[in-house]
């Protein structure tokens, strides 16, 4: 064992003797030990329910970012290519768990779990289409929610027909709030690629944008025509195959590949334009708050910024509720808040 590299050591220790891959269950002893020994997680020791939720969330995040083959079987090659080992070393050195932004941050878990709890109104630990359409203050279109529930971007682990489980929601929220990440781009590309041929055509993009256009008209927002949007998208991405622009969209031969999107830092905005009205409007208006955030912390991901904002908001709401009635509704059902 001492003669091999660190990644191989960790892989060999965690995996089952007769396997050539790691499963989610292989990481559970690691999380159990972390929860028992890390000073930043001591406050959870009196609430085993939350310890379990935290451990699950960390494992789902690890597999979301590192198991790029999406098989549920993490290979040694994937482990070596990812940044998990660096994050594990960071956890060992850092007493404040929230400074370990990759995978292990308690604040990030808290945001994910609270978001799920807010949507899961009957607290059966399942979410349906009508629940998800409320996400982000009704930011998403019905068409994109239909695609998510058709399980095109990812097959649900939930065993209940027409329902999304907690693991499915973790994959959704990480993709939604970090669209420019590699797994995020792949998730939404599959949604927009209606015929599954590996390219996004103007017709496919128009199908999703039509609902955005209708919503803009309903909100008395000045509508932006699809022809203008298409020009903007192609200018932004600079794909290898560009259209000969004409007013007749159906005659445009250009298309966008996943490779095109991965080669552009602004690619996440394409998906916001097509199905997230709130983020599209923020992008169009060049929200100065978001621009300032990006300049102040250029190393943070979109997910890191979102989680930070949401944690502050949720903490403030908790403080207000605690001051008014002594407890927060979010924890009233089956758990007691340890915060």
């Amino acid at each position: 064992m001492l003669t091999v590299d660190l990644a191989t050591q960790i892989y060999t220790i965690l995996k089952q003797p007769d396997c050539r891959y790691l499963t989610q269950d292989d990481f559970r002893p690691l999380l159990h030990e972390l929860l028992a020994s890390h000073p930043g997680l001591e406050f959870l020791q009196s609430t085993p329910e939350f310890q379990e939720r935290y451990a699950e969330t960390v494992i789902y995040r690890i597999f979301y970012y590192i198991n790029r083959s999406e098989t549920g079987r993490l290979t040694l090659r994937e482990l070596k290519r990812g940044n998990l080992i660096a994050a594990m070393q960071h956890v060992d050195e850092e007493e404040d768990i929230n400074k370990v932004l990759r995978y292990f941050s308690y604040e990030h878990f808290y945001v994910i779990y609270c978001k799920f709890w807010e949507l899961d109104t009957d607290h059966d630990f399942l979410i349906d289409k009508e629940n998800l359409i409320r996400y982000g203050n009704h930011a998403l279109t019905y068409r994109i929610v239909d695609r998510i529930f058709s399980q095109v971007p990812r097959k649900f682990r939930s065993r209940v027909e027409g329902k999304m489980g907690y693991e499915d929601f973790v994959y959704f929220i990480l993709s939604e709030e970090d669209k420019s990440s590699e797994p995020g781009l792949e998730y939404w590309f599959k949604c927009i690629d209606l015929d599954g041929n590996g390219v996004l055509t103007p017709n496919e993009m128009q199908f999703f944008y039509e609902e955005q256009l209708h919503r803009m008209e309903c909100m008395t927002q000045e509508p932006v025509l699809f022809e203008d949007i298409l020009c903007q998208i192609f200018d932004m991405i600079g794909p290898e195959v560009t259209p000969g622009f004409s007013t007749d969209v159906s005659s445009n031969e250009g298309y966008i590949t996943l490779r095109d999107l991965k080669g552009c830092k602004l690619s996440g905005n394409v998906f916001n334009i097509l199905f997230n009205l709130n983020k599209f409007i923020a992008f169009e208006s060049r929200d100065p708050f978001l621009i300032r955030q990006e300049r102040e912390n250029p190393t943070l991901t979109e997910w890191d910024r979102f989680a930070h904002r949401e944690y502050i908001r949720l903490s403030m709401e908790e403080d207000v509720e605690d001051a008014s009635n002594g407890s927060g509704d979010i924890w009233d059902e089956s758990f007691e808040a340890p915060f």
Side-chain angles (χ1 to χ4, degrees), residues 68-88:
R68 300 306 313 123
S69 59
E70 298 182 54
T71 57
R73 297 176 172 186
L74 203 154
T75 64
L76 177 58
R77 184 182 179 191
E78 287 175 325
L79 186 64
K80 286 182 174 181
R81 287 180 64 189
N83 57 2
L84 175 60
I85 292 167
M88 289 165 70

Side-chain angles (χ1 to χ4, degrees), residues 121-149:
T121 49
D122 58 2
H123 304 316
D124 62 351
F125 233 61
L126 295 166
I127 284 177
D128 61 19
K129 282 185 188 179
E130 291 307 311
N131 296 141
L132 193 64
I133 205 73
R134 291 174 23 241
Y135 181 84
N137 195 21
H138 295 79
L140 302 172
T141 61
Y142 280 96
R143 285 181 179 179
I144 202 68
V145 170
D146 281 343
R147 287 292 281 173
I148 293 166
F149 274 83

Side-chain angles (χ1 to χ4, degrees), residues 109-123:
F109 151 71
Y110 183 77
V111 167
I112 293 170
Y113 188 68
C114 286
K115 284 287 184 183
F116 181 81
W117 190 267
E118 286 173 358
L119 298 178
D120 179 22
T121 49
D122 58 2
H123 304 316

Side-chain angles (χ1 to χ4, degrees), residues 207-225:
F207 172 77
F208 288 95
Y209 187 72
E210 280 171 355
E211 192 176 341
Q212 289 279 70
L213 196 59
H214 177 67
R215 294 175 85 195
M216 279 185 237
E217 290 164 352
C218 292
M219 291 172 63
T220 65
Q221 284 274 344
E222 185 179 346
V224 185
L225 297 178

